[in-house]
Amino acid sequence: MKEDKLRIGVFVCECGLNIAGSLDCEEVKKYAETLEDVVVSVVNKYTCADPGQNEIKKYIKEHNLNRVVVASCTPLMHEPTFRTCVAEAGLNPYLFEMANIREHCSWVHLHDRKAATEKAKDIVKVAVAKARHLKPQIEAEVPVTNKVLVIGGGVAGIQAALDLADTGYQVYLVEKQPSIGGIMAQLDKTYPTMDCSI
Amino acid sequence: MAEEANFKCLRCGQEFKLPYDPKAGPQERTCPKCRSNSVRRIKEQKK
Amino acid sequence: MMDVGRHPRIKLFVYSEVEDVSGYVGNFKVKVRKKARYVDENECNACAECAKICPVVVPDEFQMGFSSRKAIYIQLPQAVPSAYVLDMNACLGNNPIACGKCVEVCDKKCIDYDMQDQFIDLEVGAIIVASGMDVYDPTELDEFGYTRFDNVITSMEFERLICAGGPTTGHFIRLSDRETPKTIGFVQCVGSRSERRGNRYCSNICCMNTIKDTVLLKDHYPDIEVKVFYMDLRAFGKGFEDLLRRSRSEGVKYIRGIPGEIYEDSKTKNLILDVENTTTGEVEKHELDMLVLSVGVIPRQDGDLIQKLLTLSRTVDGFFMESHPKLKPVDAPTRGVFFAGCSESPKDVKDSVTQASASASRAGILLSSDRIKVEAITSVIDKDKCTSCGICYQACPFKAIVVDRKAKIPAEVIEAACAGCGTCGAECPFGAVTMKHFTDEQIFPQIDAILEENPQDKIVVFACNWCSYQGGDNAGMSRLQYPATGRIIRTMCSGRVDEQFILYAFSKGAPIVLVSGCHFADCHYIDANRWTQKRVEKLWDKLERKGIRPERLQLEWISAAEGQKFAKVMREIEEMRQKVTPEEIEHTKKVLSDWKPKGAKRRPKKAEVKIEA
Ligand code: SF4
Ligand code: SF4
Ligand code: SF4
Ligand SMILES: [Zn+2]
């Protein structure tokens, strides 16, 4: 199937005042509209919240978007959120790209609104540039071995092992010393309740 | 015995000696003055 | 503890260590070394006959060396498994002339001198790291006299001395004369909260531990005089303040001020402390029978192997770094790995248990699914462009590529094993590798987008997903301010940063390019960033040959926790950028004007090959 013409939507998030407090989201949005293949750009208060996500879905449908760029926070936080969101609107999740204008921009240039806005525009531009070349991807599935290894037989390892074993999984508990117990076993009483450690 | 080689920091310009073993492969190096990792080995001038 | 030994679904490997881990989320392969114990742990019924006869006496580590054990011993009476272990380093040997006495007395015949280390291969879907902590050794803080004075002990040693199961069966004594002390002091924050020596962080547990110790002492010896020397008392948890109140009401004195110097009275072996009481501002002298150093918690000193095997990273404090400090506090950055207990940060028993349960439930979510999806970011090799040179195979840290150089069979990627670092893509000289979702076709336009307008004002930054990019995030979360000239292109690993990206950026007028990635110990792709370093070193030479200042290509290893470093680097590089002259940039553009992407060079040749065939 030949790919249709690119139709990119850019969603600029204010994150309350986290982003809008130190750069001009409206200006970033207007700038995004001038970029090649961008058909629509929107400012949201909280893009990751339900209203924000619904707006993305709505625009995908109404404007027939086939690429989505969200300019907000770090992808480490919300890339999975938005991938799921665009997928729910029928888009391949890999046709989504994120522009980090919070951690890498608004939060680190709090006192220079102009420079921060210029940088945010560039960040969006870079993301759109990438978005224009995104390809749909199929994620491979791998089986999961439902056994677990716990490294360390101190109080934390013991608790984790018991919880998982009680849930029904096979647990392997590896302890370096000849006995489990760890540091806790060396303690006499433990605070705040003054009970015995073993 | 560890051999040493001359290194130069491409951030602050500091020159210094660090242990260097040509067989050991790449190492993480830090400039003792400015803590940068842009540390380049200065090779002997070959005529 | 006993429950673990009895649980039908827990298989316990004690006296064992993880040797190797391979695979990926859902499908880890683990090799465990079970060290030879020389005693069959299933047969041994802990009758202790062997230890009775054993002639070798060594200090008992469990009792902090206060008492001794034999070469064949049991770590603690309640040990799980309840079995003896033979310390081969101390044993005289099973030679009837040397010794061999224990073998004779063991009714169950479970002692076997020929036992070997065993290797066990396990397959698991998730891994919980509960590798614990070590305790700070106060030797370097010489002013407290830990090594010089008998009656200065650590809080760990205190635990053993007060414990009914300890070397003195709970009869609390001082070491110089085996008398129960009448006055005792505690010094807080030993090895913690110091800029100069020890560690900078608060060890979290020691305040409460001391308060507990004072209550214990008062329970056992109501007349004992107890003084606590502290900087701040941190009793913030549930029930903590109550315990502190109880301690105070039982007469324990809390004195704000850490002793500067401690002397010993050579006759009485009492300790004399000089303390500036920071509440009154006066210098006080205290004479005590005994002093306990409330030592801090430090990261496991043997944590490097686990860190390497599981590609974890550590914070500046040395504890393992979680995926997100607030939203994913028990997940490791490596998918399928979770933290419990002090391996992640110092914590007390309750917090350790809480985190362990959280961790178990996070792992449970993963284990409850039969199949999971892996991100489509693997590499694909174009058979037509590949010359079977094998370079990608050499570069791949996961050996996820098969290629036959002799038979000229083009390279192929094993998708399940490929972690998507992109090193093969950067190293392939023929442009035969496509990195899904981080393709050349995506990265070149990103460089273009940065440099289209006012390139002279911008710094092109390549940052890796796991460390340096997150270092940038960390700078953001901490609101560290730095100049707004950097423009980041994210790749999964710095190993992906192809020489051609850097040259292209310079040809488009970039004043400075920064390549950044994880510290060598933190690389999420085993050793992919060593290739980055090699590549950058080569490029420095290449740039110099072309008359371009190598300084304009900068290299930096920044961990996910090093927001400070990220901001500092951005500041420094901005200063460097300002010194790059327009003439210099023009010159570079000219020198590199004949630049072509690497696949391009190859194409004519491929046509030739086809004609031949
Ligand atoms: S827990 Fe208390 S004693 Fe321990 S380091 Fe922190 S402040 Fe100091
Ligand atoms: S490096 Fe490139 S050309 Fe060489 S074997 Fe790998 S894919 Fe083929
Ligand atoms: S992307 Fe990395 S892990 Fe995958 S095949 Fe290439 S070098 Fe190996
Ligand atoms: Zn330097």
Side-chain angles (χ1 to χ4, degrees):
Chain A
M1 194 184 81
K2 205 181 153 289
E3 267 244 66
D4 298 335
K5 210 182 141 342
L6 287 172
R7 298 183 63 81
I8 306 176
V10 178
F11 298 82
V12 182
C13 185
E14 294 185 334
C15 196
L17 281 180
N18 279 306
I19 295 173
S22 43
L23 58 87
D24 189 338
C25 292
E26 252 338 290
E27 199 181 320
V28 174
K29 167 207 137 135
K30 288 209 190 87
Y31 175 75
E33 281 168 346
T34 67
L35 296 169
E36 207 178 341
D37 297 323
V38 173
V39 294
V40 62
S41 179
V42 196
V43 175
N44 304 106
K45 194 143 207 76
Y46 294 102
T47 317
C48 57
D50 278 347
Q53 292 199 36
N54 289 338
E55 197 150 71
I56 296 177
K57 291 179 196 164
K58 190 180 97 191
Y59 276 87
I60 292 177
K61 297 243 160 64
E62 282 178 7
H63 293 260
N64 218 356
L65 302 179
N66 53 19
R67 301 285 186 280
V68 170
V69 172
V70 172
S72 58
C73 46
T74 168
L76 279 306
M77 183 132 122
H78 276 316
E79 189 175 64
T81 317
F82 292 124
R83 277 189 175 171
T84 314
C85 167
V86 302
E88 281 167 9
L91 219 57
N92 181 289
Y94 286 81
L95 300 178
F96 162 78
E97 181 64 20
M98 211 152 170
N100 182 349
I101 60 167
R102 191 179 77 175
E103 280 82 351
H104 288 181
C105 192
S106 71
W107 278 352
V108 287
H109 313 304
L110 289 170
H111 315 300
D112 190 346
R113 200 172 173 85
K114 193 160 167 289
T117 308
E118 286 309 311
K119 180 172 172 182
K121 286 186 196 170
D122 258 11
I123 294 174
V124 170
K125 185 178 181 185
V126 171
V128 170
K130 179 165 181 181
R132 298 182 58 239
H133 297 273
L134 289 173
K135 294 268 172 314
Q137 304 288 351
I138 309 291
E139 292 190 332
E141 283 199 351
V142 293
V144 177
T145 313
N146 59 3
K147 300 176 187 158
V148 59
L149 169 71
V150 177
I151 303 174
V155 57
I158 290 173
Q159 182 68 36
L162 285 173
D163 279 8
L164 282 159
D166 285 344
T167 319
Y169 302 112
Q170 171 66 46
V171 179
Y172 302 112
L173 180 58
V174 174
E175 166 58 49
K176 207 168 196 170
Q177 296 295 325
S179 166
I180 56 170
I183 301 254
M184 185 196 56
Q186 277 177 293
L187 304 178
D188 176 38
K189 298 281 187 310
T190 56
Y191 66 82
T193 47
M194 308 299 289
D195 43 8
C196 181
S197 67
I198 301 177
Chain B
M1 217 202 67
E3 274 183 50
E4 290 201 327
N6 292 314
F7 288 87
K8 183 180 176 193
C9 171
L10 296 187
R11 180 77 44 81
C12 72
Q14 179 85 351
E15 295 193 12
F16 43 87
K17 280 193 190 313
L18 284 177
Y20 175 71
D21 175 0
K23 278 175 268 127
Q27 302 283 316
E28 176 167 340
R29 296 201 172 86
T30 305
C31 166
K33 188 171 159 213
C34 74
R35 314 305 301 159
S36 168
N37 302 119
S38 297
V39 172
R40 185 180 181 213
R41 186 165 72 89
I42 318 175
K43 293 172 194 143
E44 313 294 300
Q45 228 55 41
K46 273 185 218 137
K47 50 247 101 136
Chain C
M1 266 169 76
M2 303 302 151
D3 297 345
V4 174
R6 280 195 291 262
H7 204 293
R9 277 187 296 274
I10 300 179
K11 177 101 185 71
L12 196 54
F13 298 102
V14 287
Y15 215 37
S16 304
E17 282 169 45
V18 173
E19 283 260 316
D20 193 26
V21 179
S22 61
Y24 46 93
V25 56
N27 301 273
F28 293 105
K29 291 193 170 53
V30 183
K31 191 188 268 322
V32 174
R33 174 198 288 269
K34 192 163 172 39
K35 288 175 281 186
R37 182 184 188 108
Y38 307 105
V39 176
D40 184 334
E41 66 188 53
N42 300 319
E43 286 300 311
C44 173
N45 59 3
C47 65
E49 290 302 327
C50 52
K52 265 184 225 150
I53 196 108
C54 177
V56 185
V57 181
V58 289
D60 185 343
E61 305 87 351
F62 184 79
Q63 304 288 14
M64 305 300 293
F66 286 142
S67 58
S68 53
R69 60 164 173 85
K70 298 297 185 66
I72 189 160
Y73 70 106
I74 188 159
Q75 202 182 359
L76 66 162
Q78 307 92 325
V80 176
S82 182
Y84 275 65
V85 53
L86 180 70
D87 176 356
M88 247 326 157
N89 294 326
C91 173
L92 298 175
N94 175 31
N95 174 324
I97 307 164
C99 182
K101 292 202 170 71
C102 54
V103 182
E104 284 166 30
V105 298
C106 180
D107 283 345
K108 307 207 67 176
K109 299 283 159 253
C110 45
I111 302 172
D112 173 7
Y113 284 93
D114 300 322
M115 211 183 256
Q116 301 284 325
D117 286 7
Q118 284 171 23
F119 291 94
I120 300 129
D121 290 311
L122 303 173
E123 288 187 12
V124 296
I127 298 175
I128 291 184
V129 178
S131 47
M133 58 169 217
D134 277 335
V135 176
Y136 177 73
D137 174 355
T139 303
E140 65 169 336
L141 304 178
D142 192 53
E143 67 270 30
F144 294 144
Y146 174 62
T147 48
R148 290 180 286 138
F149 310 139
D150 285 348
N151 294 329
V152 177
I153 61 169
T154 68
S155 40
M156 255 340 262
E157 291 165 344
F158 176 91
E159 292 294 334
R160 297 321 302 154
L161 286 177
I162 194 95
C163 180
T168 55
T169 55
H171 184 66
F172 189 70
I173 53 162
R174 67 176 199 166
L175 299 184
S176 65
D177 51 12
R178 311 201 138 249
E179 292 294 320
T180 300
K182 295 190 179 55
T183 53
I184 183 166
F186 289 82
V187 180
Q188 292 307 104
C189 296
V190 174
S192 307
R193 302 180 67 205
S194 163
E195 293 290 334
R196 289 179 299 121
R197 287 168 307 167
N199 297 298
R200 294 169 55 159
Y201 53 86
C202 167
S203 289
N204 183 308
I205 58 163
C206 0
C207 282
M208 284 315 296
N209 191 59
T210 292
I211 294 169
K212 171 209 78 183
D213 289 347
T214 62
V215 172
L216 269 181
L217 280 169
K218 283 286 187 184
D219 282 356
H220 291 326
Y221 311 98
D223 293 332
I224 195 168
E225 194 185 340
V226 186
K227 293 175 179 170
V228 178
F229 301 93
Y230 69 96
M231 280 198 249
D232 303 288
L233 279 177
R234 300 185 166 175
F236 51 87
K238 184 176 182 180
F240 289 9
E241 192 68 27
D242 288 341
L243 197 67
L244 174 59
R245 237 174 249 153
R246 177 169 156 200
S247 162
R248 280 203 160 112
S249 72
E250 284 172 8
V252 176
K253 291 204 183 57
Y254 287 85
I255 298 151
R256 206 176 82 188
I258 300 288
E261 192 71 59
I262 293 166
Y263 314 91
E264 183 185 61
D265 181 322
S266 52
K267 272 203 218 90
T268 58
K269 300 281 176 195
N270 285 355
L271 302 157
I272 298 144
L273 282 63
D274 281 340
V275 189
E276 187 196 336
N277 183 328
T278 56
T279 313
T280 62
E282 265 157 51
V283 178
E284 300 174 358
K285 254 195 195 332
H286 294 266
E287 183 169 342
L288 300 165
D289 294 346
M290 192 170 183
L291 190 67
V292 181
L293 304 178
S294 184
V295 287
V297 171
I298 58 170
R300 280 293 289 217
Q301 301 301 291
D302 57 359
D304 290 357
L305 182 68
I306 302 260
Q307 176 182 8
K308 196 161 149 265
L309 290 177
L310 298 175
T311 62
L312 305 174
S313 49
R314 300 204 199 190
T315 60
V316 265
D317 297 338
F319 293 96
F320 288 132
M321 177 84 184
E322 65 278 33
S323 200
H324 188 284
K326 278 170 286 197
L327 304 174
K328 279 189 174 178
V330 303
D331 293 39
T334 308
R335 210 171 154 205
V337 180
F338 306 90
F339 296 122
C342 291
S343 60
E344 181 259 334
S345 69
K347 45 178 82 64
D348 60 21
V349 172
K350 177 183 173 182
D351 284 354
S352 293
V353 169
T354 310
Q355 195 189 29
S357 288
S359 207
S361 112
R362 294 285 300 161
I365 295 172
L366 172 67
L367 297 176
S368 67
S369 31
D370 291 337
R371 304 179 71 78
I372 47 156
K373 291 193 166 169
V374 285
E375 246 192 305
I377 50 171
T378 50
S379 68
V380 189
I381 292 171
D382 180 341
K383 288 200 173 50
D384 293 334
K385 285 192 190 167
C386 174
T387 63
S388 317
C389 71
I391 289 175
C392 56
Y393 170 77
Q394 278 170 17
C396 178
F398 300 89
K399 296 292 161 250
I401 298 177
V402 269
V403 54
D404 194 330
R405 287 173 62 187
K406 285 209 196 84
K408 287 267 165 220
I409 300 173
E412 204 172 333
V413 177
I414 314 159
E415 204 174 332
C418 168
C421 67
T423 309
C424 55
E427 288 297 322
C428 170
F430 307 104
V433 180
T434 305
M435 288 310 307
K436 284 188 204 162
H437 213 54
F438 291 91
T439 62
D440 294 2
E441 289 71 31
Q442 290 162 354
I443 293 174
F444 284 121
Q446 287 181 287
I447 301 172
D448 280 331
I450 295 173
L451 298 171
E452 223 157 59
E453 290 163 64
N454 306 323
Q456 71 283 354
D457 296 338
K458 296 172 193 171
I459 298 161
V460 178
V461 180
F462 291 96
C464 79
N465 182 64
W466 302 105
C467 292
S468 52
Y469 191 93
Q470 297 194 25
D473 285 351
N474 185 289
M477 286 184 246
S478 325
R479 307 296 193 278
L480 303 173
Q481 305 294 300
Y482 56 82
T485 40
R487 301 288 182 271
I488 292 185
I489 296 177
R490 180 174 65 112
T491 56
M492 292 311 286
C493 171
S494 64
R496 170 72 185 110
V497 182
D498 200 319
E499 153 182 324
Q500 49 171 356
F501 301 155
I502 298 166
L503 291 175
Y504 184 70
F506 281 129
S507 81
K508 290 286 167 182
I512 298 232
V513 176
L514 167 65
V515 176
S516 64
C518 310
H519 288 284
F520 274 28
D522 302 350
C523 181
H524 283 67
Y525 303 95
I526 307 174
D527 59 1
N529 59 0
R530 284 152 188 73
W531 292 86
T532 317
Q533 166 121 0
K534 258 200 215 165
R535 209 177 295 139
V536 168
E537 282 172 0
K538 263 199 246 157
L539 260 170
W540 280 331
D541 296 348
K542 194 167 183 167
L543 291 173
E544 193 166 53
R545 281 200 301 276
K546 290 184 185 289
I548 301 166
R549 273 196 301 138
E551 282 81 0
R552 289 172 57 196
L553 171 58
Q554 289 281 316
L555 177 69
E556 215 58 64
W557 311 121
I558 303 171
S559 84
E562 288 177 327
Q564 298 267 12
K565 180 170 182 186
F566 187 91
K568 171 174 172 277
V569 167
M570 294 313 289
R571 266 181 242 124
E572 288 173 0
I573 294 188
E574 168 57 12
E575 266 175 42
M576 299 182 81
R577 184 199 62 80
Q578 290 171 7
K579 296 201 185 96
V580 181
T581 62
E583 296 75 42
E584 212 181 337
I585 296 177
E586 276 318 306
H587 169 260
T588 307
K589 280 161 86 171
K590 207 182 288 147
V591 173
L592 294 174
S593 59
D594 60 345
W595 182 89
K596 274 188 213 69
K598 60 189 180 184
K601 272 186 255 158
R602 189 63 205 164
R603 252 167 230 137
K605 272 207 181 152
K606 208 183 76 195
E608 287 165 28
V609 175
K610 274 210 176 123
I611 296 164
E612 276 172 35

